Amino acid sequence: KAVIDRIIRVDHAGEFGANRIYAGQMAVLGRSSAGPVIQQMWNQEKDHLKKFNELMVAYRVRPTILLPFWNVAGFVLGAGSALLGKKGAMACTVAVEESISDHYNSQIRTLVEGDPEKYKELLQIIKQFRDDEREHHDIGLEHDAEAAPAYSVLKTAIQLGCKAAIFLSERI
Amino acid sequence: MAAAAAGSLRRAGWGLWRGRAVVRWQLSPPQRPLQASAVLRRVSDEHKKEPLASSSQQQFDSHPADHQPGQEPQGPDPSYTGQGSQESEDYESEEQLQHRILTAALEFVPEHGWTAEAIAEGAKALGLSAAAAGMFQSDGSQLILHFLSQCNTKLSELLEQEQKLVQQGEAEKKPIDQFLRDAVEARLRMVIPYLERWPQALSILLMPHNIPSSLSLLSSMIDDILHYAGDQSTDINWYTRRAVLTGIYNTTELVMMQDSSPDFEDTWRFLENRIADAMKMGDTANQVQSTGEAIVQGLMGAAVTIKNLTGLNQRR
């Protein structure tokens, strides 16, 4: 039960953060050529968040108390990366989505090693979401993320932040 | 004969101990709610429900060690095998034994307080030696925590039953303030038989080594109440609602301890007022937010107007 708690709490926080990141990117780049692409990815994240809200109520999981913080931090990250230009925003997307898909993969591993039959529905949902995030990652690469200024520094920094966020949201 | 059976039971219990770790207080043990619900389900209709201790003892009337006066020789439901391991193997786990002793000890709390003496009396009532009280901590905290855990389980079942009735259409869904009021009142009423000794219990619960357990029991109870009330928040509201309800519960408990009105009317009225305050607070917060937004829009409009008037807005 504790494992499921953690999984749902951190995934909920992750989708919430991703939502805010895309919101920040749209605020800056909404009227540019990248607008529609970002909007479409944002819509998918909104669906993900809705699903996790339902799961959270169904499994009676406590949300992380850091949500207000992720609210602001996500928006700032999205807007900040978008200010570096379209490629900056795509680089941020690539970094975040890569972190998230790795994270989902390790959760899938945990659940499969545990009791795949019991958690069949949850496994299906996470697998589906992991595929979606992977797709976002690829879209980011397609849109010249790697040509962004200071791409490797940016990517490492963002992924470090994601790791810290995941660690904290699982526990707090 | 009862003594010999008790002796064999004790030996079996001691035997199981040798391999066991130190007593762990399990806060949400899978066994305990099962046991508690088994206890409650086995109370047959002809037995009274109050006081809590003697009603939970009814389930042991098929057990050879029990020799309460006026008991039927057979249990009310011999086909029930909720604690089948007891009947078939004559073994019980350390936890089950502790559970039984503490439940029996509750009856002696009004007289002896939440102390090791009450536990010893409980052990004696089950036919065990008073030295069995040595299993527990000497300050009686385990007895109190056991009582709290039992009350919470009872409350959960009550709320679950109510929910089933509503789902089956046999009852009306209560408005949320009424629901919270009834749930808190039901939970507080369980304390009434022990009310004289309750201040002692609360002060013991405030001791540093008890705080984690008592906080955990309190928070799971509040979470239960809000869950059955239909709370579906997944943001910071989750925390604020629980904090508010915890505050209401604690203050009402304190009021109850000083209340001398008939059937604690003053307490329930206090509770009603606090819940009404909390509901109003939610509305007020919304109103403040929408007022704030309206003000911001007004200011932005004023700023644009001024820019237009002073000609700063023109681009040439």
Side-chain angles (χ1 to χ4, degrees):
Chain A
K1 212 295 156 163
V3 170
I4 299 290
D5 256 19
R6 272 192 179 187
I7 288 180
I8 296 185
R9 182 176 323 127
V10 72
D11 288 349
H12 175 261
E15 296 298 346
F16 183 81
N19 249 278
R20 296 303 292 156
I21 291 177
Y22 283 123
Q25 290 187 343
M26 278 303 283
V28 175
L29 289 175
R31 272 161 289 184
S32 75
S33 58
V37 178
I38 301 179
Q39 179 68 49
Q40 193 217 3
M41 293 198 283
W42 189 13
N43 290 340
Q44 282 185 312
E45 299 294 351
K46 285 186 194 159
D47 282 336
H48 289 187
L49 183 61
K50 202 151 46 121
K51 188 69 198 171
F52 274 116
N53 277 336
E54 291 168 20
L55 283 177
M56 193 164 245
V57 173
Y59 283 89
R60 289 180 66 171
V61 176
R62 165 181 73 85
T64 167
I65 201 169
L66 296 170
L67 278 179
F69 183 66
W70 300 145
N71 191 347
V72 173
F75 193 87
V76 164
L77 175 62
S81 64
L83 285 172
L84 291 174
K86 192 183 93 163
K87 302 197 183 89
M90 291 300 154
C92 170
T93 302
V94 165
V96 170
E97 300 293 6
E98 191 177 310
S99 278
I100 289 192
S101 0
D102 285 343
H103 171 65
Y104 276 151
N105 273 333
S106 65
Q107 284 186 344
I108 291 173
R109 237 172 283 135
T110 310
L111 287 177
V112 166
E113 281 167 18
D115 193 344
E117 269 314 300
K118 187 166 158 197
Y119 303 125
K120 202 159 60 152
E121 190 206 332
L122 187 58
L123 259 177
Q124 212 177 336
I125 292 174
I126 296 183
K127 280 186 187 158
Q128 169 70 40
F129 288 5
R130 184 222 28 209
D131 294 340
D132 288 344
E133 308 294 1
R134 207 72 231 166
E135 200 189 312
H136 292 179
H137 171 263
D138 295 340
I139 292 177
L141 283 178
E142 273 172 39
H143 283 80
D144 304 326
E146 283 161 339
Y151 174 69
S152 46
V153 175
L154 202 60
K155 183 162 174 236
T156 318
I158 293 178
Q159 290 194 323
L160 222 81
C162 284
K163 278 206 187 72
I166 290 175
F167 180 83
L168 288 174
S169 299
E170 274 181 346
R171 287 156 185 78
I172 312 184
Chain B
M1 192 211 97
S8 76
L9 175 71
R10 233 176 306 142
R11 265 178 271 119
W14 282 103
L16 282 169
W17 281 8
R18 257 178 258 127
R20 286 283 207 150
V22 175
V23 172
R24 284 169 289 125
W25 181 264
Q26 291 188 17
L27 300 165
S28 352
Q31 264 184 325
R32 222 170 274 277
L34 272 175
Q35 284 179 15
S37 52
V39 165
L40 295 163
R41 257 179 266 135
R42 282 185 69 159
V43 172
S44 53
D45 294 23
E46 63 253 29
H47 297 294
K48 286 191 276 114
K49 204 63 167 117
E50 294 297 327
L52 167 67
S54 58
S55 72
S56 10
Q57 283 182 51
Q58 307 293 350
Q59 63 138 357
F60 305 118
D61 45 24
S62 66
H63 200 285
D66 192 305
H67 56 334
Q68 291 287 313
Q71 286 284 358
E72 293 128 14
Q74 276 306 316
D77 189 359
S79 65
Y80 185 76
T81 51
Q83 301 202 343
S85 59
Q86 250 175 304
E87 281 151 39
S88 54
E89 301 171 9
D90 210 15
Y91 268 134
E92 68 180 341
S93 74
E94 172 190 338
E95 245 194 85
Q96 284 175 324
L97 177 64
Q98 290 189 338
H99 182 95
R100 281 203 308 132
I101 295 180
L102 290 177
T103 310
L106 285 176
E107 199 178 314
F108 299 95
V109 163
E111 192 186 328
H112 295 275
W114 303 93
T115 55
E117 280 103 46
I119 302 180
E121 291 295 324
K124 283 201 294 204
L126 289 178
L128 303 170
S129 143
M135 264 200 278
F136 307 97
Q137 276 175 309
S138 56
D139 61 357
S141 29
Q142 278 171 300
L143 182 56
I144 305 175
L145 291 170
H146 169 87
F147 172 65
L148 282 184
S149 165
Q150 268 195 341
C151 287
N152 289 355
T153 313
K154 263 174 71 169
L155 179 68
S156 287
E157 292 182 358
L158 184 69
L159 293 175
E160 176 79 42
Q161 273 175 0
E162 271 183 25
Q163 190 185 52
K164 276 210 186 77
L165 287 179
V166 170
Q167 278 172 349
Q168 290 166 352
E170 290 172 25
E172 286 290 312
K173 189 171 158 96
K174 290 188 220 176
I176 192 162
D177 56 344
Q178 169 99 26
F179 182 93
L180 293 178
R181 207 187 327 150
D182 288 346
V184 173
E185 184 180 330
R187 175 64 180 76
L188 284 174
R189 278 191 186 273
M190 297 180 199
V191 171
I192 292 180
Y194 306 92
L195 200 54
E196 268 182 30
R197 300 287 187 169
W198 199 240
Q200 179 196 13
L202 288 183
S203 58
I204 293 179
L205 284 177
L206 279 175
M207 295 205 291
H209 64 268
N210 285 330
I211 287 186
S213 321
S214 64
L215 269 186
S216 164
L217 283 170
L218 176 64
S219 59
S220 68
M221 185 246 304
I222 298 286
D223 182 48
D224 258 352
I225 294 182
L226 278 174
H227 167 77
Y228 285 105
D231 175 42
Q232 295 199 333
S233 44
T234 54
D235 53 2
I236 201 75
N237 272 328
W238 192 95
Y239 290 90
T240 47
R241 285 185 189 163
R242 275 152 184 76
V244 165
L245 188 59
T246 309
I248 294 178
Y249 178 84
N250 282 336
T251 46
T252 313
E253 193 175 22
L254 291 174
V255 164
M256 189 166 87
M257 291 200 296
Q258 304 163 342
D259 191 3
S260 50
S261 59
D263 196 36
F264 301 95
E265 288 168 358
D266 288 347
T267 306
W268 312 135
R269 206 170 326 125
F270 175 86
L271 174 62
E272 195 179 328
N273 289 337
R274 294 293 76 70
I275 291 191
D277 285 347
M279 299 280 132
K280 241 188 298 175
M281 227 183 1
D283 283 342
T284 313
N286 284 341
Q287 282 178 3
V288 164
Q289 192 179 17
S290 44
T291 310
E293 282 170 11
I295 290 178
V296 165
Q297 283 191 340
L299 286 174
M300 299 276 278
V304 170
T305 312
I306 291 176
K307 276 168 76 175
N308 285 339
L309 287 174
T310 56
L312 281 172
N313 229 9
Q314 296 181 18
R315 285 169 186 257
R316 273 182 230 276

